[in-house]
């Protein structure tokens, strides 16, 4: 076992001197002291966020209104200002048209690139095409699309018009996408006919048609080129494309939607090439600070997904701050995060353009043809900041990988779920010069509340700091702040990237119920957190899936840390069936590693480890083998839906099957009648 809090990495004097956040403090005239800077950022948020605008020279009009007016929920920012996300993302294109902006890779080795000049030109053409379809300020453009340059171009073109973007990954099933897109009533849908994953091709032409047929407001459907088809949003090497399953397919082939205006389809159906066929100027519609930029969604594991709306200004300021000061990114960097277009990390990744970094888009499996695929990709592309989910780091550790060729790598980001101390130690042992930045936040704000900064050391299992501008506190059940003990993660000061609203929530009731019902005027995020005396933080998982045994509360991350250390176990899920005022049973489900069996000896060793390392209260009442652990498409374990199933809720009501990566395993958890 690795001791929580063990020192693993410290910044060298050169790291501190050259950090982007150091330059910012010098510009402010403040001493280089992160904790003092954080304290100022949350005690004087008006001054802090105004300084972020000024320091980065945000393109737009500041206006003469207050930086913040009102309180949560409903705080408003930079009244009277006007700006556009796309204008800020492409601000360097005219002066530096030859600078690399986008690198795109896929499973087969296919590679495309876009310079800033090429990216701006593509955005201008697609902007012209969207405008010709009637898209304007406030209209919605939805995309059922992979993580490829066309998707990024379409997003920037949409934003440039003041229209509103929303995307889902093509691994989503049709009902899941329809649940999302019918709520926002898009005018245009971009849809891909298929995608490649884990060495296989998945046809999505029929799904795209089904989605379009269920969107009555749709004026046009744009068919995106399938993998291996001829593409123009990107140049350079296309090695490997002849081996992809769809080589030779024409863009827009397939589909179930007629383009003649007959029932079941939009009046206009066109290909990507047709959308981008006309030249046009690159212009930007400047909009108020809180004007909707995009709509993202809650995980969708139960009920209709929440359509969360973020504004242009809030995202521009938050991503400039987070990517520059916390990820330490700038124009000399290549930024990568393994994600799909259905996860907020895609929105965060493309934010690299705001700070001048080149962004690396990858479409495919993280572990095809082997576990080290992403490390090899990072080495080949000279990635300087590599982001992934905590499960990939754990899988790399278990596989005994020793990634090489990563001389340019300075930072490694981990998110999605808590990373155990052993994962921290593996990163340090394998990549000792690289700073590990474990981050925790959410789709709700499209950023992290707590994370790393180049000025602070990294300790096993500990997130180094609360992020600038994020007044994170730990509350006990009575709503009082606590230090050094586990409590509810709350924010007591607003942040500009908090949702401007939920779509179709005119009175704001759904928004308030989601975050402000428990503590009026205070954002409750739904995670357990412990804040240490030095400002470090430990996240213990979701507070609504916590374990409570004999009054002892513990987040599930600690449980998984013990169980998944066993080589025989590939994955696990722990559920406490207790209800308010009634203790239930503690159930452990395990998915076995290939060739391993759940023997009596293994069960005994698991029980001993849990009793010894946690407490006797945390020894499961039952340990059961299952074919797999249910996860969302973004990789999160479905703890709460499984708990509902165990308490008698039918699986199809407890979880949205189309929002799951492996819905077939869900029914293994149905109680026997």
């Amino acid at each position: 076992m690795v001791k929580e809090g063990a020192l693993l990495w410290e910044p060298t004097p050169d790291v501190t001197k050259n950090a982007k956040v150091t330059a910012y403090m010098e510009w402010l005239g403040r001493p280089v002291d992160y904790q003092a800077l954080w304290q100022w950022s949350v005690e004087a948020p008006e001054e802090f966020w105004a300084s972020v605008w000024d320091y980065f020279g945000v393109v737009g009009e500041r206006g003469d209104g207050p930086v913040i007016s009102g309180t949560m929920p409903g705080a408003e920012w930079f009244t009277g200002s006007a700006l556009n996300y796309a204008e800020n993302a492409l601000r360097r294109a005219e002066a530096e048209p030859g600078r690399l902006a986008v690198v795109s890779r896929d499973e087969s080795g296919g590679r495309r690139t876009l310079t800033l000049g090429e990216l701006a030109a593509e955005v201008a053409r697609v902007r012209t095409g969207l405008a010709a379809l009637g898209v304007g300020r406030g209209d919605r453009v939805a995309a059922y699309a992979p993580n490829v340059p066309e998707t990024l171009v379409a997003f920037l073109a949409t934003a440039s018009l003041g229209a509103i973007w929303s995307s889902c990954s093509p691994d989503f099933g049709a009902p899941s996408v329809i649940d999302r897109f019918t709520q926002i009533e898009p005018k245009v849908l971009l849809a891909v006919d298929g995608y490649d994953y884990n060495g296989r091709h998945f046809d999505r032409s029929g799904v795209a048609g089904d989605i379009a047929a269920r969107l009555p407001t749709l004026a046009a459907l744009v068919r995106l080129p399938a993998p291996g088809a001829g593409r123009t949003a990107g140049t350079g090497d296309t090695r490997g494309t002849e081996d992809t399953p769809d080589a030779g397919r024409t863009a827009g082939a397939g589909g179930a939607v007629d383009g003649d205006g007959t029932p079941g389809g939009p009046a206009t159906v066109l290909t990507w090439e047709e959308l981008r066929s006309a030249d046009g100027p690159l212009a930007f519609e400047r909009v108020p600070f809180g004007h909707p930029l995009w709509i993202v969604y809650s995980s969708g594991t139960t009920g209709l997904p929440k359509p969360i709306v973020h504004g242009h200004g809030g995202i521009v300021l938050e991503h400039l701050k987070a990517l520059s000061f916390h990820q330490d990114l700038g124009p000399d960097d290549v930024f990568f995060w393994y994600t799909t277009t259905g996860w907020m990390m895609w929105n965060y990744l493309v934010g690299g353009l705001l700070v001048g970094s080149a962004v690396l888009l990858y479409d495919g499996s993280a572990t095809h043809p082997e576990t080290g695929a992403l490390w090899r990709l990072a080495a080949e592309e000279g990635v300087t900041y590599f982001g992934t989910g905590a499960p990939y780091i754990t899988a790399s550790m278990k596989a005994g990988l020793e990634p090489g060729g990563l001389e340019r790598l300075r930072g490694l980001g981990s998110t999605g779920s808590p990373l155990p101390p052993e994962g921290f130690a593996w990163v340090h042992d394998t990549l000792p010069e690289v700073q590990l930045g474990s981050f925790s936040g959410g789709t709700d704000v499209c950023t992290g509340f707590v994370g790393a900064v180049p000025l602070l050391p990294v300790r096993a299992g500990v997130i180094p700091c609360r992020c600038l501008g994020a007044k994170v506190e730990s509350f006990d059940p009575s709503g009082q702040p606590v230090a050094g003990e586990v409590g509810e993660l709350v924010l007591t000061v607003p942040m500009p990237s908090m949702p401007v609203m939920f779509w179709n929530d005119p009175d704001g009731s759904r928004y308030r119920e989601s975050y402000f019902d428990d503590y009026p005027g205070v954002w409750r995020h739904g995670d357990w957190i412990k804040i240490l005396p030095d400002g470090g933080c430990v996240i213990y998982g979701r507070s609504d899936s916590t374990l409570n045994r004999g009054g002892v509360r513990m987040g599930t991350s600690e449980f998984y840390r013990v169980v998944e250390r066993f080589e025989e176990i590939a994955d696990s899920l722990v559920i406490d069936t207790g209800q308010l005022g009634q203790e239930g049973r503690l159930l452990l489900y395990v998915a076995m590693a290939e060739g391993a069996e759940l023997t009596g000896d293994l069960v005994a060793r698991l029980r001993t480890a849990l009793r010894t390392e946690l407490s006797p209260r945390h020894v499961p009442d039952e340990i059961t083998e299952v074919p797999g652990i249910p996860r969302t498409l973004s990789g999160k374990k479905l703890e709460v839906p499984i708990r509902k199933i165990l308490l008698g809720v039918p699986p199809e009501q407890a979880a949205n099957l189309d929002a799951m990566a492996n819905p077939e395993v869900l029914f293994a958890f149905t109680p026997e009648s």
Side-chain angles (χ1 to χ4, degrees):
M1 292 283 289
V2 176
K3 183 179 180 181
E4 184 176 280
L7 180 64
L8 300 175
W9 180 93
E10 288 186 284
T12 65
D14 280 347
V15 167
T16 299
K17 177 183 177 182
N18 296 322
K20 306 291 189 298
V21 70
T22 298
Y24 168 64
M25 283 187 274
E26 292 172 346
W27 177 82
L28 288 170
R30 299 182 64 91
V32 180
D33 180 335
Y34 180 79
Q35 295 302 340
L37 182 67
W38 176 82
Q39 198 71 42
W40 169 72
S41 76
V42 296
E43 289 180 350
E46 299 92 342
E47 296 177 29
F48 170 68
W49 290 107
S51 78
V52 172
W53 182 303
D54 294 339
Y55 181 72
F56 289 103
V58 171
V59 180
E61 295 91 41
R62 262 279 299 273
D64 54 7
V67 173
I68 308 175
S69 56
T71 58
M72 295 188 291
E76 295 186 4
W77 296 83
F78 290 91
T79 304
S81 65
L83 74 166
N84 186 283
Y85 177 102
E87 186 174 12
N88 280 275
L90 296 171
R91 63 189 299 180
R92 298 168 178 83
E94 186 174 354
E96 301 178 90
R99 177 183 285 276
L100 181 66
V102 180
V103 179
S104 175
R105 293 285 300 271
D106 60 34
E107 278 188 357
S108 66
R111 183 178 192 268
R112 295 185 288 155
T113 62
L114 284 167
T115 64
L116 271 174
E118 291 166 340
L119 177 60
E122 283 299 312
V123 171
R125 297 178 74 88
V126 173
R127 182 186 197 276
T128 300
L130 290 174
L133 294 173
V135 175
R137 183 166 170 162
D139 290 325
R140 276 76 66 206
V141 174
Y144 182 64
N147 186 14
V148 293
E150 289 83 358
T151 310
L152 173 55
V153 167
F155 158 58
L156 291 172
T158 299
S160 75
L161 289 162
I164 306 166
W165 173 261
S166 190
S167 62
C168 288
S169 171
D171 57 356
F172 280 45
S176 182
V177 180
I178 291 166
D179 282 348
R180 287 159 168 77
F181 289 169
T182 53
Q183 294 186 74
I184 67 170
E185 300 179 315
K187 178 173 281 189
V188 172
L189 172 69
L190 297 98
V192 73
D193 286 333
Y195 69 98
D196 295 336
Y197 186 84
N198 206 27
R200 297 175 56 201
H201 178 70
F202 295 84
D203 181 17
R204 281 294 185 262
S205 55
V207 175
D210 291 343
I211 295 167
R214 292 289 300 275
L215 299 174
T217 59
L218 210 60
L221 169 65
V222 180
R223 309 304 297 240
L224 294 176
R231 285 165 160 161
T232 52
T235 59
D237 181 18
T238 56
R239 64 185 184 277
T241 55
E242 67 274 15
D243 295 324
T244 57
D246 259 5
R249 286 183 62 165
T250 57
V257 180
D258 295 328
D260 57 3
T262 56
T268 302
V269 179
L270 67 163
T271 67
W272 175 258
E273 285 302 315
E274 290 168 335
L275 179 69
R276 62 172 295 280
S277 61
D279 290 325
L282 181 59
F284 304 98
E285 176 82 6
R286 291 185 178 177
V287 293
F289 191 92
H291 181 82
L293 170 63
W294 57 47
I295 301 170
V296 292
Y297 305 88
S298 63
S299 62
T301 52
T302 60
L304 274 180
K306 296 178 295 188
I308 299 167
V309 183
H310 294 129
H312 279 248
I315 292 298
V316 167
L317 286 190
E318 174 58 38
H319 287 184
L320 283 171
K321 177 216 76 177
L323 291 164
S324 183
F325 299 155
H326 291 281
Q327 262 79 43
D328 202 36
L329 288 169
D332 297 327
D333 288 295
V334 178
F335 179 38
F336 168 68
W337 210 291
Y338 179 66
T339 183
T340 70
T341 60
W343 188 22
M344 57 137 294
M345 293 310 301
W346 182 83
N347 306 67
Y348 192 75
L349 168 63
V350 301
L353 296 171
L354 293 168
V355 295
S357 299
V359 295
L360 172 58
L361 312 178
Y362 176 67
D363 183 39
S365 168
T367 56
H368 180 78
E370 36 73 32
T371 305
L374 293 187
W375 300 112
R376 186 178 65 253
L377 172 70
E380 291 171 355
E381 296 298 341
V383 168
T384 57
Y385 198 98
F386 176 116
T388 186
Y392 183 72
I393 296 175
T394 302
S396 298
M397 175 183 68
K398 288 188 173 184
L401 297 186
E402 297 182 6
L406 297 168
E407 291 78 16
R408 293 200 68 209
L409 189 65
R410 294 184 293 102
L412 176 63
S414 171
T415 193
S417 59
L419 182 68
E422 290 77 14
F424 278 75
W426 177 83
V427 171
H428 173 70
D429 292 343
T430 309
L431 301 164
E433 304 302 319
V434 173
Q435 182 189 17
L436 173 63
S438 183
F439 279 75
S440 184
T443 299
D444 317 78
V445 288
C446 205
T447 190
F449 297 129
V450 295
V453 70
L455 308 181
L456 297 179
V458 175
R459 303 178 187 277
V462 178
I463 297 175
C465 65
R466 290 171 281 186
C467 293
L468 294 173
K471 184 68 179 297
V472 173
E473 296 190 66
S474 177
F475 270 18
D476 67 15
S478 65
Q480 296 302 309
V482 294
E485 59 184 87
V486 178
E488 287 277 1
L489 190 161
V490 300
L491 282 95
T492 55
V493 170
M495 293 174 63
S497 69
M498 285 176 172
V500 295
M501 61 178 176
F502 286 176
W503 199 260
N504 286 336
D505 182 29
D507 64 355
S509 58
R510 195 178 181 197
Y511 178 43
R512 291 192 299 274
E513 290 167 4
S514 296
Y515 310 111
F516 299 100
D517 262 9
D518 293 84
Y519 310 112
V522 173
W523 173 293
R524 174 187 175 270
H525 194 60
D527 283 343
W528 292 123
I529 187 172
K530 179 169 66 178
I531 301 173
L532 305 176
D534 65 357
C537 305
V538 182
I539 299 290
Y540 291 93
R542 296 292 295 176
S543 56
D544 51 8
S545 61
T546 193
L547 309 177
N548 190 331
R549 309 299 292 170
V552 177
R553 297 189 306 173
M554 184 190 71
T556 55
S557 63
E558 288 181 296
F559 203 101
Y560 298 137
R561 177 187 171 192
V562 174
V563 174
E564 293 174 17
R565 191 177 72 251
F566 286 77
E567 294 182 355
E568 300 95 327
I569 295 174
D571 206 354
S572 66
L573 186 78
V574 62
I575 303 293
D576 182 352
T577 63
Q579 301 180 70
L580 186 63
Q582 176 185 347
E583 185 154 314
R585 294 175 63 77
L586 188 64
L587 309 177
L588 172 62
Y589 296 92
V590 294
M592 306 306 294
E594 187 174 355
E597 295 179 5
L598 185 62
T599 63
D601 174 69
L602 177 57
V603 169
R605 287 188 287 124
L606 279 167
R607 291 181 183 277
T608 298
L610 289 164
R611 179 181 292 107
T612 303
E613 298 175 31
L614 298 179
S615 80
R617 294 182 179 90
H618 294 92
V619 176
D621 296 299
E622 297 175 22
I623 301 178
T624 305
E625 182 177 352
V626 289
I629 300 303
R631 290 181 178 268
T632 67
L633 289 168
S634 60
K636 296 184 178 181
K637 299 183 185 187
L638 271 69
E639 295 166 322
V640 175
I642 295 302
R643 184 173 181 273
K644 291 181 178 179
I645 290 172
L646 293 171
L647 294 173
V649 177
E652 60 273 14
Q653 295 179 21
N656 184 338
L657 304 187
D658 292 293
M660 292 181 59
N662 51 350
E664 69 280 359
V665 306
L666 196 65
F667 296 89
F669 296 83
T670 305
E672 295 181 3
S673 57

